[in-house]
Amino acid sequence: MPARQLASQTVPTTGGNVVSTDKVGAANGVAGLDATAKVPQAQLPTPKITVGITAPASPAVGDVWIDTN
């Protein structure tokens, strides 16, 4: 298969869909990826775990409820 040359493109320096490297893995930034292309555990939020007989009145997305009944 013959090699192809890609057309040159201008990459924006600010704005657009560009994320600066200082925002990767930083608080209020974007999550980075580890060597297996997954978000590292340290960058995932800790879910709230509730244990009991009655479900929480207003659970949030990602919360875990364990029914002990």
Side-chain angles (χ1 to χ4, degrees):
M1 178 179 281
R4 289 192 195 176
Q5 184 174 3
L6 297 175
S8 66
Q9 296 181 0
T10 302
V11 177
T13 55
T14 59
N17 294 325
V18 177
V19 175
S20 62
T21 55
D22 64 330
K23 299 292 184 191
V24 178
N28 297 318
V30 296
L33 300 177
D34 64 14
T36 63
K38 296 180 180 174
V39 176
Q41 182 71 34
Q43 294 181 26
L44 295 173
T46 303
K48 177 183 171 190
I49 299 176
T50 304
V51 178
I53 298 171
T54 306
S58 55
V61 172
D63 288 352
V64 177
W65 174 61
I66 299 172
D67 185 351
T68 58
N69 191 5

